[in-house]
Amino acid sequence: DEMLALVISKVTGTKTTAPTQEFRLNLILLCTTGCFAGDYFLLNLLYCACLAVKSVVPMVASEDFQFPTDAFYTKLEASVGALCLSAGAVEKPTLLTAFV
């Protein structure tokens, strides 16, 4: 199963500062077997990157999850253009490698 969980948390002030009404977008990235090989998963990850997610918390969610290799990153950067095109985003080869 491929999953992304986008968490929206309200940022408030501290005891010495006034509360603010800003919102932070945080991503809990549930890493399952083959998740980074799926276009749907990568497309949603791309949307998160375009939303200016403030932090990414990766969580390994399956015992046989394999961490990405250098070859994977090279292939991802080569294919990100097509994903950006389908998402209507500006093409930037390293856009997803910052998240993965």
Side-chain angles (χ1 to χ4, degrees):
D1 296 6
E2 300 174 356
M3 297 185 87
L4 295 175
L6 188 61
V7 178
I8 302 171
S9 58
K10 189 173 182 179
V11 177
T12 59
T14 64
K15 291 180 181 180
T16 58
T17 63
T20 66
Q21 293 300 316
E22 295 179 22
F23 288 87
R24 270 182 77 111
L25 295 175
N26 302 294
L27 176 66
I28 298 172
L29 185 61
L30 300 176
C31 303
T32 58
T33 303
C35 64
F36 296 116
D39 286 345
Y40 181 75
F41 184 86
L42 292 174
L43 189 59
N44 281 293
L45 196 58
L46 179 71
Y47 288 137
C48 290
C50 292
L51 287 172
V53 169
K54 299 293 182 193
S55 63
V56 178
V57 179
M59 296 178 66
V60 175
S62 62
E63 291 180 16
D64 53 351
F65 173 75
Q66 294 182 355
F67 288 91
T69 62
D70 289 340
F72 167 82
Y73 287 117
T74 301
K75 183 179 175 184
L76 179 63
E77 288 181 1
S79 66
V80 78
L83 287 170
C84 288
L85 182 63
S86 63
V90 176
E91 184 178 343
K92 182 180 174 186
T94 59
L95 187 62
L96 287 180
T97 53
F99 275 82
V100 178

